[in-house]
């Protein structure tokens, strides 16, 4: 937790990929007039042969990437998560997942990170959509240090992957040197026996801070960074369910169909314990900054802490 | 060895018979649109496309995408005839656990894209054509679309991007049989002036009789029509071509012939 200057994850993602793309000419970046919002101007400027802008046409965007991948290219699509996962969902299902093309779909400015722009620009159903598609891997990295490792892994990983990143600078979860990251394997950030908090994406830090806060009150939480939602780390969920009385999930997503649902699917089948799902309720959300919206819906350490204390009291 | 027009005409007859037999046996399929695109497919596969059935993933091969994925029977019949798959496999068409599903997938050697939902093929073709340009490969990409399919907005996204990126290695073909499942295209959703639309999107457009193999060869052999521009071929065809009582009847979009009708069809196609 040493970094003082905070960088937006999209910038770190793009810069890391840019360095790799200089060596690997098969990496192709595609955008839908989103070079600025995705921070991929470097590609347009310095690697124009590896950059394709299709204009504001997300369906075409995804299918073109499928065609490129069929010819051995390694396409990385950058487009706002809200448009990429809804406007072109059929192209994702058929041309990427069903056909089995090696395309990386990077949904930028996901969750409510577009804040005041309203629900057209929020992506709060992307996890639900993407994880219902066979062959699709779904990843929400929690900080820029993890992203640096993730990008390298994505280049060598063959197959369709959806990655949701945010828009605004976020606090680090991991220090620079120490980033365990394996696709499909959750990371235990804190270990405890009273409660398990499982979080994904940019609210992992909130979950971690909740765990710290609980510790001051003598409650010991296990906090898991579930960066990969599909395939989900069943073993870590099973093990946590056996260990703690309560499981709490935290996500920047509609509480229907996201991380909470994915965790519950494992719990109900393998070791039923109580699961409390925290996220955005099933409504078109209030507007404001990302921080304001999350606070409004109670995705802040103090509130999660209270919910957990109440949950433990009730047993 | 270049196959002459007579050879291709005979081939078209064979393929028509196989199409009807497959649909009759499977009790499923899209007879009208399959019969309208036979000459287009036969001309491409037996004369134009640079392909090698023994090496379906050859990087320099020409690419063909059946964007109107429902017209699949003729496609499978040709892939089997050329040796991409075994002829016997055609018997499994639309049967339980067969890879020969009612719309094609890349599980089948020679198939380049999973199609069946309309309006995807041209964009995939744009991606393949772009890759060819980036890699300096001289293959061409052919995409066969339906005319009803032209109502899909994504087609026009693809059209715009193909001319923007000057993809003269891309050839779009519209099987202009003028009928879709709900009736005449012009009454369901009017397309005309289709040629002007494509021209306005920056394509070189040429219209041909889609059942005239000689004309088709001539057009295909002369693409791109214009340097730096994608080519769009409007192939005027007759839905259900070759069978008198199926021709130009919208209800034969995906009707399965009865035993008696099957016998009559085979007689006409003899």
């Amino acid at each position: 937790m040493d970094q003082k200057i905070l960088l937006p994850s999209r910038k770190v993602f793009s810069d890391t990929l840019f360095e790799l793309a200089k060596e690997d000419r098969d990496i192709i970046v595609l955008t839908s007039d989103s070079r600025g919002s995705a921070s991929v101007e470097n590609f347009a400027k310095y690697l124009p042969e590896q950059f394709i802008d299709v204009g504001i046409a997300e369906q075409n965007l995804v299918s073109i990437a499928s065609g490129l991948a069929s010819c051995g290219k390694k396409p990385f699509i950058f487009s706002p998560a809200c448009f990429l996962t809804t406007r072109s969902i059929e192209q994702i299902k058929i041309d990427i997942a069903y056909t089995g093309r090696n395309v990386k779909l990077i949904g930028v400015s996901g969750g409510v990170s577009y804040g005041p722009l309203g629900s057209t620009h929020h992506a709060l159903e992307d996890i639900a959509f993407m994880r219902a598609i066979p062959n699709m891997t779904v990843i929400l990295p929690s900080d820029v240090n993890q992203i640096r490792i993730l990008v390298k892994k994505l280049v060598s990983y063959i197959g369709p992957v959806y990655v949701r990143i945010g828009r605004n600078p976020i606090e680090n979860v991991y220090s620079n040197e120490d980033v365990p990251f394996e696709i499909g394997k959750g990371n235990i950030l804190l270990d405890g026996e009273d409660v398990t908090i499982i979080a994904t994406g940019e609210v992992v830090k909130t979950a971690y801070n909740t765990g710290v806060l609980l510790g001051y009150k003598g409650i010991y939480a296990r906090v898991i960074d579930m960066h990969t939602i599909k395939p989900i780390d069943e073993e870590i969920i099973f093990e946590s369910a056996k260990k703690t009385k309560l499981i709490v999930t935290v996500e920047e997503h509609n509480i229907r169909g996201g991380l909470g649902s994915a965790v519950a699917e494992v719990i109900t089948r393998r070791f039923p314990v109580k699961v409390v799902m925290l996220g955005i309720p099933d409504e078109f959300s209030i507007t404001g900054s990302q921080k304001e919206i999350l606070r409004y819906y109670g995705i802040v350490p103090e509130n999660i802490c209270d919910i957990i204390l109440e949950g433990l009291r009730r047993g | 060895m270049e196959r002459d027009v007579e050879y291709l005409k005979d081939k078209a007859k064979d393929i028509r018979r196989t199409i009807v037999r497959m649909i009759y046996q499977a009790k499923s399929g899209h007879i009208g649109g399959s019969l309208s695109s036979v000459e287009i497919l036969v001309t491409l596969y037996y004369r134009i496309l640079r392909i090698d059935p023994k090496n379906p993933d050859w990087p320099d091969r020409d690419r063909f995408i059946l964007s109107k994925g429902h017209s699949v029977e003729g496609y499978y019949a040709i892939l089997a005839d050329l040796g991409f798959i075994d002829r016997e496999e055609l018997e499994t068409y639309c049967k339980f656990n067969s890879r020969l599903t009612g719309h094609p997938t890349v599980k089948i050697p020679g198939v380049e894209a999973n199609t069946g939902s309309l309006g995807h093929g041209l964009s995939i073709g744009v991606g393949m054509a772009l890759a060819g340009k980036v890699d300096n490969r001289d293959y061409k990409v052919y995409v066969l679309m339906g005319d009803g399919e032209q109502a899909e907005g994504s087609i026009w996204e693809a059209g715009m991007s193909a001319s923007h990126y000057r993809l003269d290695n891309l050839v779009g073909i519209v099987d202009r049989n003028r009928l879709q499942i709900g009736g005449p295209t012009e009454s369901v959703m009017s397309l005309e002036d289709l040629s002007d639309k494509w021209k306005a999107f920056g394509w070189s457009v040429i219209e041909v009789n889609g059942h005239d193999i000689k004309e088709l060869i001539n057009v295909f052999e002369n693409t791109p029509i214009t340097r730096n521009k994608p080519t769009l071929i409007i192939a005027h065809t007759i839905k259900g071509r070759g069978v008198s009582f199926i021709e130009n009847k919208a209800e034969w979009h995906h009707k399965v012939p009865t035993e008696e009708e099957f016998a009559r069809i085979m007689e006409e196609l003899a």
Side-chain angles (χ1 to χ4, degrees):
Chain A
M1 330 292 151
D2 54 348
Q3 203 154 329
K4 291 284 171 280
I5 306 156
L6 300 176
L7 294 166
S9 46
R10 55 204 167 107
K11 174 85 177 119
V12 173
F13 197 116
S14 166
D15 288 350
T16 310
L17 187 64
F18 182 74
E19 291 309 313
L20 296 167
K22 285 197 279 192
E23 306 299 322
D24 184 346
R25 310 302 292 206
D26 283 334
I27 294 173
I28 305 238
V29 162
L30 294 101
T31 71
S32 49
D33 196 22
S34 40
R35 68 183 79 183
S37 56
S39 302
V40 291
E41 291 101 335
N42 267 356
F43 283 87
K45 215 166 162 185
Y46 302 112
L47 297 174
E49 290 241 302
Q50 290 165 262
F51 178 78
I52 295 167
D53 198 330
V54 304
I56 307 164
E58 293 80 7
Q59 300 176 72
N60 197 29
L61 173 74
V62 171
S63 302
I64 286 178
S66 170
L68 287 164
S70 79
C71 298
K73 299 295 166 200
K74 300 172 184 167
F76 277 72
I77 292 175
F78 289 82
S79 185
C82 53
F83 308 132
L84 179 62
T85 59
T86 55
R87 189 58 158 269
S88 39
I89 189 164
E90 196 197 46
Q91 281 76 11
I92 293 173
K93 172 188 151 189
I94 297 173
D95 304 340
I96 308 299
Y98 183 37
T99 312
R101 294 298 180 214
N102 181 26
V103 174
K104 306 302 179 309
L105 302 144
I106 316 303
V108 297
S109 303
V112 293
S113 59
Y114 265 131
L117 300 191
S119 290
T120 52
H121 283 60
H122 295 168
L124 290 169
E125 57 292 288
D126 53 341
I127 300 173
F129 289 174
M130 291 300 117
R131 78 183 188 91
I133 297 175
N135 284 347
M136 187 61 71
T137 293
V138 180
I139 297 174
L140 277 75
S142 58
D143 81 353
V144 294
N145 289 323
Q146 196 175 53
I147 283 172
R148 289 190 182 96
I149 307 292
L150 165 65
V151 174
K152 290 184 191 115
K153 299 232 174 186
L154 286 176
V155 170
S156 54
Y157 177 90
I158 296 175
V161 181
Y162 172 68
V163 179
R164 185 225 273 185
I165 56 178
R167 177 170 184 78
N168 311 307
I170 45 161
E171 279 184 61
N172 281 337
V173 173
Y174 301 95
S175 62
N176 282 318
E177 314 82 53
D178 181 27
V179 189
F181 185 83
E182 202 183 311
I183 293 175
K185 197 134 186 49
N187 294 342
I188 298 171
L189 304 179
L190 287 175
D191 214 353
E193 297 183 344
D194 297 323
V195 59
T196 299
I197 310 172
I198 305 177
T200 193
E202 295 194 348
V203 293
V204 167
K205 183 74 182 183
T206 307
Y208 175 83
N209 288 341
T210 306
V212 172
L213 197 56
L214 284 167
Y216 296 149
K217 299 175 193 282
I219 303 290
Y220 297 101
R222 167 179 255 218
V223 178
I224 297 170
D225 173 5
M226 196 66 89
H227 49 73
T228 309
I229 295 183
K230 188 183 178 183
I232 201 151
D233 186 346
E234 287 213 11
E235 291 315 309
I236 207 171
I237 296 172
F238 176 58
E239 189 193 299
S240 304
K242 280 197 297 186
K243 191 172 172 177
T244 68
K245 298 173 197 140
L246 177 66
I247 290 192
V248 177
T249 60
V250 185
E251 61 192 310
E252 189 179 347
H253 188 272
N254 190 316
I255 48 162
R256 304 199 191 282
L259 170 72
S261 302
V263 168
E265 285 159 15
V266 177
I267 299 274
T268 49
R269 185 161 41 83
R270 297 200 51 188
F271 200 88
V273 293
K274 191 174 177 189
V275 181
V276 174
M277 300 178 198
L278 304 178
I280 309 294
D282 187 22
E283 66 186 37
F284 289 105
S285 75
I286 199 162
T287 53
S289 71
Q290 182 181 24
K291 273 191 177 157
E292 287 168 330
I293 295 172
L294 291 174
R295 173 166 293 280
Y296 176 82
Y297 290 115
I299 311 300
V300 285
E302 303 72 34
N303 184 58
I304 300 172
C305 191
D306 288 347
I307 289 170
I308 288 170
L309 292 174
E310 176 66 21
L312 289 174
R313 226 181 346 260
R314 287 189 178 183
Chain B
M1 180 199 66
E2 212 166 71
R3 286 118 166 182
D4 65 16
V5 174
E6 288 312 308
Y7 177 90
L8 298 187
K9 280 184 178 169
D10 285 345
K11 203 44 102 177
K13 269 191 183 169
D14 283 351
I15 299 298
R16 278 204 165 80
R17 282 191 291 265
T18 309
I19 288 170
V20 177
R21 205 174 301 119
M22 284 169 72
I23 291 171
Y24 179 67
Q25 282 172 1
K27 302 286 176 238
S28 172
H30 289 81
I31 197 163
S34 287
L35 292 175
S36 70
S37 52
V38 169
E39 280 79 11
I40 299 166
L41 287 173
V42 163
T43 307
L44 282 170
Y45 270 94
Y46 294 88
R47 174 79 179 236
I48 301 294
L49 295 182
R50 184 173 71 193
I51 44 170
D52 178 4
K54 287 186 193 68
N55 190 7
D57 298 325
W58 176 33
D60 285 313
R61 72 192 181 280
D62 286 336
R63 270 79 171 165
F64 171 78
I65 298 168
L66 185 72
S67 191
K68 48 173 304 204
H70 54 284
S71 297
V72 78
E73 297 88 3
Y75 190 29
Y76 289 161
I78 289 170
L79 291 175
D81 188 50
L82 289 173
F84 283 96
I85 56 173
D86 290 338
R87 249 173 240 272
E88 299 75 57
E89 196 175 347
L90 292 180
E91 305 291 322
T92 73
Y93 171 60
C94 276
K95 301 266 166 63
F96 177 71
N97 204 24
S98 168
R99 61 179 175 172
L100 302 189
T101 40
H103 299 93
T105 76
V106 296
K107 283 183 190 161
I108 302 155
V111 173
E112 302 281 359
N114 293 16
T115 54
S117 175
L118 298 169
H120 293 224
L122 194 60
S123 293
I124 296 169
V126 168
M128 291 172 177
L130 276 166
K133 290 284 183 191
V134 170
D135 290 342
N136 277 318
R137 294 186 191 272
D138 67 348
Y139 62 75
K140 284 186 188 171
V141 182
Y142 298 83
V143 181
L144 177 60
M145 296 172 278
D147 52 2
E149 185 182 2
Q150 303 296 296
E152 290 281 7
S154 52
I155 294 256
W156 302 98
E157 294 183 4
M160 226 188 284
S161 59
S163 60
H164 178 85
Y165 285 105
R166 299 146 76 98
L167 300 178
D168 58 7
N169 52 349
L170 178 65
V171 180
I173 308 141
V174 178
D175 180 358
R176 187 75 175 107
N177 60 36
R178 306 190 82 88
L179 286 174
Q180 57 192 104
I181 196 165
T185 56
E186 299 315 286
S187 72
V188 175
M189 180 49 63
S190 30
L191 299 174
E192 295 300 343
D193 188 317
L194 190 59
S195 171
D196 278 355
K197 284 190 175 79
W198 280 103
K199 281 179 196 153
F201 275 70
W203 290 55
S204 284
V205 181
I206 188 156
E207 306 200 34
V208 296
N209 175 346
H211 298 304
D212 187 323
I213 288 171
K214 216 171 141 188
E215 248 188 73
L216 285 166
I217 292 172
N218 186 40
V219 169
F220 283 131
E221 282 182 346
N222 289 297
T223 64
I225 301 170
T226 317
R227 224 174 116 80
N228 292 330
K229 276 187 171 194
T231 301
L232 194 279
I233 300 171
I234 299 178
H236 293 283
T237 58
I238 293 166
K239 196 153 180 168
R241 168 77 170 195
V243 183
S244 58
F245 61 96
I246 294 180
E247 282 189 5
N248 276 323
K249 299 253 171 36
E251 67 264 29
W252 278 95
H253 177 83
H254 61 174
K255 202 173 144 186
V256 176
T258 62
E259 195 183 339
E260 191 227 324
E261 284 165 340
F262 177 67
R264 276 176 65 199
I265 296 169
M266 292 318 259
E267 220 169 90
E268 284 197 28
L269 293 176

